[in-house]
Amino acid sequence: MKRTNFEASSRLPASAADLFAWHERPGAFERLRPPWEHVCLISHEGIRDGQRAVIRMGRFPFARTWIAEHRDYRPGESFQDMQIAGPFAEWEHTHRVTPEGETTARLTDAIEYRLPAGALGQLLAGRAIRRKIERVFRFRHRRTLEDLTFWNQLGGRRTMKVLITGGTGLIGGELASLLTTGGHEAVILTRSQSKSPHHTTWNPDAETYDPRWFEGYDAVVHLAGENIAGRRWTAAYKQRLRDSRIQVTGKLARALARLDAPPRVLVSASAIGWYGARDDIPLDETAEAGEGFLPDLCREWEAAAAPAAEAGIRVVHPRLGVVLSPRGGALAKMLLPFKLGAGGVVGSGRQVMSWIGIDDAVAGLAHAVFTDTLRGPINLTSPQAVTNREFTKTLGRVLRRPTIFPMPAFAARLAFGEMADGLLLSGARVVPGKLLESGYTFRHPELEDCLRHLLGR
């Protein structure tokens, strides 16, 4: 049976050399991996002839391994990956880069594939596979365009070496891949022993921190901390939340302040929990902290970084909103009930949800690293916050599912305890004033567009 052909082509704002280099750098696979797909990169040797990528697709017990070998590597022009083992009977993917001027180039992905079981496989799954491929490459070209546009807007900044704590989490991993494909070096600080040149080991529970963990970096992005929604807020877990944020940040800030050559900037995470439960009025970075556990936690968390600022390091506190990604966090937890048609508003539905898509969250963090005028708190939220009812209806519309099963306030409190009032039943309309003033352009300011992009819908 003959092969099926597919082609996607886009004109992108980069020279042919820069566009090809983007694909060759570490992190490119992660940037091109659709967030709704269950795909894990096991190993990737590179894109030159004979080098292989090993990918695990799907979830246990249905996971499959895809092994692709790269061939026909032509620097600055093209390369191929060919399936050695995997779900297709045949798969050959050619990546071509064609110059269209000094600062623009065309990216073309040309694929020839054949499904298993011949004509029967094509009859049963041909259209579905075609639609799936179209979704994947629509996402890949859009994200490549947005990443290249982002780096163009930042201008010709010098190459930086960035250390990321909490880098194995959802946000840290995405940030590392954004930085590396942009031509910068990102090193993840992790508890685990790793042979990866992009990882280095530390012990965040140590009484004092070894300065050697932090030497030689231009910037530190500090994202480490226990998951705020990891479990019910017992007294013991609330103490773990405090220790993993306040104590760790304080020890880190003191260690950086003692360095002979400290980093130029420390981007130390915070959260919009600073504002607490507020009326539906816009809150920018000048708003005072609210009252309660979360505002108190955030206030002390930000204050813990003071030793770094006193040592002359530029310190930025990104107050993150609800970060949306199907790979983790709030959206990932919502997807199954919503897909089953069991989604609905929580409590009154009037509480405001200040959200941000994962792409804007990591680009906002990178913007904070490279923008010298930013310091102190900055709100990392979409400029278009929504109520819980608006979010519910929008997600249902994107997934084409009804949203008729509400969760009353008493049920949320029974299920989640104090956390329900802190995270689910209250909100604040937080606006990204300083981010917009500094020239940042949002990729996905509207909720529906963001959800469709992240979910491939």
Side-chain angles (χ1 to χ4, degrees), residues 130-321:
R130 177 80 179 198
R131 287 196 297 269
K132 186 173 183 177
I133 293 172
E134 289 173 349
R135 289 171 65 198
V136 166
F137 281 90
R138 184 165 55 246
F139 168 85
R140 289 173 62 137
H141 280 234
R142 180 171 182 179
R143 179 171 267 187
T144 305
L145 169 63
E146 291 170 347
D147 280 8
L148 294 170
T149 301
F150 169 75
W151 291 116
N152 286 344
Q153 290 174 341
L154 273 180
R157 306 301 174 105
R158 73 183 185 93
T159 300
M160 295 183 72
K161 186 176 182 181
V162 183
L163 183 68
I164 305 173
T165 76
T168 56
L170 174 68
I171 299 174
E174 292 279 6
L175 175 61
S177 61
L178 174 66
L179 290 170
T180 54
T181 50
H184 303 277
E185 184 177 355
V187 176
I188 290 173
L189 201 56
T190 174
R191 292 174 181 265
S192 305
Q193 294 290 335
S194 174
K195 295 181 180 179
S196 170
H198 308 298
H199 288 188
T200 188
T201 306
W202 75 326
N203 175 18
D205 299 323
E207 191 66 29
T208 58
Y209 288 169
D210 188 336
R212 290 175 296 180
W213 295 341
F214 314 107
E215 289 175 340
Y217 294 94
D218 301 296
V220 174
V221 180
H222 177 44
L223 303 173
E226 288 278 352
N227 183 355
I228 197 74
R231 60 183 66 179
R232 290 174 71 96
W233 288 355
T234 63
Y237 194 65
K238 286 166 74 173
Q239 189 60 48
R240 283 179 60 181
L241 292 172
R242 290 175 54 82
D243 291 347
S244 68
R245 286 164 170 75
I246 299 165
Q247 288 192 15
V248 170
T249 300
K251 289 185 284 188
L252 170 64
R254 289 190 291 273
L256 296 180
R258 292 195 300 269
L259 293 175
D260 293 332
R264 297 168 60 194
V265 58
L266 167 64
V267 177
S268 184
S270 183
I272 60 170
W274 165 281
Y275 302 101
R278 307 291 274 266
D279 294 329
D280 190 3
I281 56 173
L283 300 167
D284 65 13
E285 292 84 356
T286 63
E288 295 183 356
E291 297 180 354
F293 171 67
L294 283 180
D296 290 347
L297 173 63
C298 292
R299 184 168 49 243
E300 293 181 61
W301 189 9
E302 293 183 14
E310 292 165 1
I313 300 170
R314 178 170 65 90
V315 176
V316 184
H317 296 292
R319 293 174 180 166
L320 283 154

Side-chain angles (χ1 to χ4, degrees), residues 84-100:
I84 302 301
F88 290 86
E90 292 182 76
W91 172 278
E92 183 178 297
H93 176 191
T94 301
H95 313 246
R96 288 197 301 270
V97 173
T98 308
E100 293 194 350

